[in-house]
Amino acid sequence: MRIRRIIAAVFATAALAGLGLTGAATAATAVTPASVTPASVTPGECTDNGGTIDRSTPVLPTCRGGTKDGQSVD
């Protein structure tokens, strides 16, 4: 009888530990939408936020100034 109780306690502890690790891993990988910056902005977003469109950049136009400074414009 004593061995059964010990085995049951070991399994219960392992199950609870597994749930704790799963919850911690899920919480660590959660990303809030506010922390993600878009790769590019629209011309309207650039000018509405106080920037100007710099078309002299080699690959894509870039937003200069304002809150979207340095982001590419698509």
Side-chain angles (χ1 to χ4, degrees):
M1 284 301 252
R2 186 173 181 182
I3 297 214
R4 286 184 187 171
R5 280 189 232 145
I6 292 172
I7 291 174
V10 167
F11 281 124
T13 304
L16 291 175
L19 289 176
L21 291 176
T22 303
T26 303
T29 58
V31 177
T32 58
S35 65
V36 177
T37 352
S40 62
V41 295
T42 63
E45 287 175 332
C46 178
T47 55
D48 289 346
N49 290 302
T52 57
I53 300 171
D54 180 11
R55 298 188 189 280
S56 65
T57 53
V59 180
L60 289 174
T62 306
C63 185
R64 297 288 178 210
T67 58
K68 308 290 183 183
D69 185 41
Q71 293 183 354
S72 61
V73 179
D74 58 3

